[in-house]
Amino acid sequence: MNIVVLTGAGVSAESGIPTFRGPDGVWENHRIEDVASPEAFLRDPDFVHGFYNARRAALHGVAPNAAHFALAALERAWEGRGDFLLVTQNVDDLHERAGSRRLLHMHGELRQMLCAACGARHPWLTEADTATSCPACGETGLRPDVVWFGEIPYHMEPILAALDRADVFCAIGTSGVVYPAAGFAAQARRNGRGCILYEINPAPTGERYFDHVIAAPAGEGVPEFLRRLGV
Ligand code: NAD
C-alpha cells in the first residue's frame, strides 16, 4: 500500500510558526504580494530579503511537534510495506529535523539560497542581502530558494508519479487554495486505484472528496491517522 502525505503551514502551527492566511489575508503583518512574488523582489529586494531573513532567524527558536515526529515514525514503520512520500508546501525544516527523509519541499526551503546568476543552491543559516555574493560564482544576486507566486513548484514529476501510485493520500494543515498542491487530492482520487483520501485540519476545508476527515490539530490528528493505518 502506497502513501502520499501533503503538509501545509498548519502542520507547523503548533511549533509556533504562523500559518499563511490570517483572518485578513496577511502573513506576519505583510501582504503576501509584497513579499512572495518575483515582482516584489525586483521592486524591493532589500525588503524581501529582510522578510525572509527574519523567517530564517525564527527557525532557530522553534522545534518539531508531535505531528512532525509522527510522520517520521510513519515513514520508518512503512519501510517494506509500500512506497511513502511526504510532500510539503512548507519552507521550514521541521520535517527533516524530526527525521523525515522521503521528503520533497515543493515550495523550496528557507534555509537555502539560490543564485540568480549561476543557478547554484547553497545551504544558508544566516542573513543575506543584495550585496551578498554567491559562494560558487562570486556574483551578487542571491535570492531565497523559495517558490514565489507565479513560479513553478519544485519536484512536480516525482510528486505526480507518486500520486498516480497512491493508495492512501492525506492532506494535513493545508487550506487547499494554492495550486497545484490544492489539486493533489483530486489527482490521487482519479488514479484508478481506489485511493482513500484523508484530511487532518482543525478547520476542515469541506472538500467532499475526502473519505475521512480528522477534525483536530495536527499534533493530535496525525497520531490518530497512524492508529487508523495500524501503525
Ligand atoms: P494556509 O495558511 O493557507 O492554511 C493553513 C491551514 O492550516 C488552514 O487550513 C488551517 O485551518 C490549518 N491549521 C491551523 N492550525 C492547524 C493545526 N494545529 N493543525 C493542522 N492544521 C492547522 O497554508 P498552506 O495551505 O500551507 O498555504 C500554502 C503556503 O503557505 C505555502 O506556499 C507555504 O510555503 C506557505 N507557508 C509556509 C510556512 C512554513 O513553512 N511553516 C508558514 C506559512 C506559510
Side-chain angles (χ1 to χ4, degrees):
M1 196 162 81
N2 302 327
I3 302 177
V4 176
V5 174
L6 171 69
T7 61
V11 80
S12 296
E14 289 156 86
S15 294
I17 301 180
T19 58
F20 205 45
R21 277 170 203 80
D24 40 10
V26 294
W27 187 12
E28 304 214 335
N29 303 319
H30 297 291
R31 290 190 317 148
I32 289 152
E33 54 270 34
D34 288 341
V35 290
S37 70
E39 294 75 22
F41 190 60
L42 274 177
R43 199 166 48 235
D44 196 344
D46 288 315
F47 180 75
V48 173
H49 270 304
F51 176 79
Y52 286 98
N53 285 341
R55 305 278 72 70
R56 195 176 304 113
L59 291 183
H60 292 297
V62 298
N65 65 52
H68 298 102
F69 285 115
L71 288 169
L74 173 58
E75 177 183 335
R76 286 191 298 273
W78 216 250
E79 261 170 48
R81 293 173 70 171
D83 295 346
F84 177 88
L85 181 64
L86 174 55
V87 180
T88 188
Q89 299 170 87
N90 292 347
V91 295
D92 67 53
D93 60 349
L94 296 183
H95 283 307
E96 44 271 62
R97 280 201 250 163
S100 286
R101 294 292 172 262
R102 296 275 307 133
L103 166 70
L104 295 176
H105 277 277
M106 64 178 291
H107 289 166
E109 301 176 47
L110 260 181
R111 285 184 154 174
Q112 196 157 274
M113 299 296 283
L114 170 65
C115 176
C118 74
R121 292 190 157 83
H122 306 285
W124 211 269
L125 300 181
T126 55
E127 300 207 331
D129 58 33
T130 45
T132 311
S133 55
C134 169
C137 73
E139 296 288 326
T140 55
L142 286 177
R143 56 164 281 181
D145 190 13
V146 299
V147 176
W148 286 325
F149 286 98
E151 297 182 322
I152 297 170
Y154 296 155
H155 312 299
M156 286 309 294
E157 221 174 287
I159 292 170
L160 292 175
L163 291 171
D164 267 353
R165 291 193 307 272
D167 302 298
V168 172
F169 172 85
C170 183
I172 305 170
T174 177
S175 52
V177 295
V178 178
Y179 279 84
F184 288 174
Q187 176 89 15
R189 162 68 90 213
R190 285 195 300 266
N191 71 5
R193 298 172 65 101
C195 184
I196 308 288
L197 307 188
Y198 286 79
E199 177 180 29
I200 302 171
N201 197 316
T205 55
E207 292 292 354
R208 279 180 304 168
Y209 43 65
F210 286 112
D211 302 291
H212 303 282
V213 175
I214 301 175
E220 294 166 27
V222 180
E224 170 60 20
F225 173 56
L226 266 61
R227 277 191 288 279
R228 294 191 191 186
L229 291 175
V231 172

